[in-house]
Amino acid sequence: MSDDDFPNWGVKRIHVIALLFASLVLTSGTYSLPEGRVLQYDMAVSLDGYLPIFGGQEAKAELALGVKVSGLTPDADGNARASSELTAVKVTFNGAEMPFGVANVQTYFPKTTVSLSPLGKVLKTDAPTGSLPVRLPGLDIKRFPEISFLPLELPEAGLAEGKSWTFARTYNGVPMAYHAQVSGMKEGVAEVAVTVDQTATWFETASKQAASSKEGAASSVSTRLTGKGTVFFDINRGIATKIEMDLKAADEVTDLKTGAKKDRKLATKHRVVLKG
């Protein structure tokens, strides 16, 4: 039997191969940050509720950040590398703009280089090992790449509509559970619905700063952080293009001397958008 026996088979075979290739592309999913690729993101964070600053108070704060991501040469093990750095900062507190610039924030969030797997797992980082003077749920100095340009650890089986998976990341020494599901696929962009859940117990001083241990602390705090949102991942380009997350943190604060308890709440809106 030959192609001559089926005059249209040659054309049909090409069509079948093309469809199979298209199906493979649309259901694959890995990050692509080759050397020389530069991405610019706008990040907006809105906080409404209890903030542990200025002695602790109910307030609203907004942060507008510019983030530059640059693909670098692979590391010695052949893993992709990328750097991220802040290029713009604007902070408002209860509607008033604060005198904070890029240099102020870079003290805690300096330019960071990470090695990552194709699925977006951070393998190495040179982020500082210190901590912020105050503790905000879901915020960790070492995890800035994960809340900016690496929002998901992708499944090995690839991205396809309806596909769901779970993974965990560690923030402030405590695992955060993620559940993700592809809720839509359009023109090579996967729309992924994401939920997160974390429970942590920690200590704070009388001035509401985070304490490294119970010694010298005034209160213990048990925090339940939950959230949901959507991540848009461009499969063809191998990059996240948009993040929309809404988080709610509920604290139970226990005075270590009196045992008295009180509740605190904080709502956070987290938005990241690829420019251009």
Side-chain angles (χ1 to χ4, degrees):
M1 183 179 296
S2 69
D3 287 350
D4 293 335
D5 297 312
F6 299 93
N8 295 324
W9 172 237
V11 174
K12 290 181 179 179
R13 181 165 52 188
I14 294 173
H15 287 170
V16 169
I17 293 173
L19 288 172
L20 288 174
F21 179 76
S23 175
L24 176 63
V25 169
L26 290 175
T27 57
S28 64
T30 58
Y31 284 89
S32 178
L33 291 166
E35 181 181 6
R37 168 171 269 186
V38 177
L39 307 172
Q40 299 280 355
Y41 289 92
D42 284 335
M43 179 186 292
V45 181
S46 175
L47 305 165
D48 187 359
Y50 175 81
L51 294 175
I53 57 178
F54 305 130
Q57 59 181 290
E58 296 289 322
K60 293 183 179 181
E62 295 183 348
L63 294 84
L65 308 174
V67 182
K68 178 182 177 181
V69 178
S70 302
L72 306 174
T73 57
D75 65 16
D77 297 320
N79 299 308
R81 288 194 311 138
S83 67
S84 59
E85 59 184 308
L86 295 175
T87 58
V89 172
K90 180 180 178 181
V91 181
T92 60
F93 185 78
N94 284 337
E97 185 171 347
M98 305 299 288
F100 298 147
V102 172
N104 301 104
V105 180
Q106 282 179 337
T107 301
Y108 299 103
F109 293 95
K111 183 176 180 179
T112 297
T113 298
V114 296
S115 295
L116 62 141
S117 74
L119 299 179
K121 183 178 181 64
V122 174
L123 305 173
K124 300 176 185 176
T125 178
D126 64 0
T129 57
S131 58
L132 294 169
V134 297
R135 179 164 175 152
L136 293 172
L139 184 60
D140 186 331
I141 288 177
K142 297 184 74 68
R143 297 300 179 186
F144 189 77
E146 284 96 323
I147 64 173
S148 54
F149 68 101
L150 299 174
L152 294 173
E153 289 185 16
L154 302 171
E156 292 185 2
L159 295 172
E161 190 160 356
K163 171 69 177 178
S164 64
W165 71 100
T166 61
F167 60 97
R169 285 171 163 171
T170 300
Y171 290 83
N172 295 304
V174 181
M176 181 183 292
Y178 287 74
H179 180 273
Q181 182 172 22
V182 179
S183 56
M185 189 82 73
K186 184 177 181 180
E187 298 179 353
V189 177
E191 182 177 333
V192 184
V194 181
T195 61
V196 297
D197 196 335
Q198 181 192 51
T199 299
T201 300
W202 49 285
F203 300 98
E204 68 179 16
T205 66
S207 60
K208 311 305 180 185
Q209 292 188 333
S212 59
S213 66
K214 186 175 181 179
E215 184 179 356
S219 305
S220 66
V221 184
S222 178
T223 300
R224 173 77 183 279
L225 176 67
T226 57
K228 62 181 180 179
T230 307
V231 173
F232 295 84
F233 188 85
D234 189 321
I235 296 174
N236 297 323
R237 290 192 287 170
I239 54 176
T241 59
K242 185 188 294 186
I243 306 167
E244 300 175 342
M245 290 294 297
D246 293 335
L247 307 172
K248 293 183 178 179
D251 293 345
E252 183 181 72
V253 185
T254 303
D255 188 296
L256 293 177
K257 289 185 178 180
T258 67
K261 298 180 182 294
K262 62 181 178 180
D263 296 330
R264 303 187 307 216
K265 297 184 183 298
L266 176 65
T268 302
K269 291 184 180 294
H270 179 76
R271 305 288 186 264
V272 181
V273 178
L274 179 69
K275 297 177 65 175

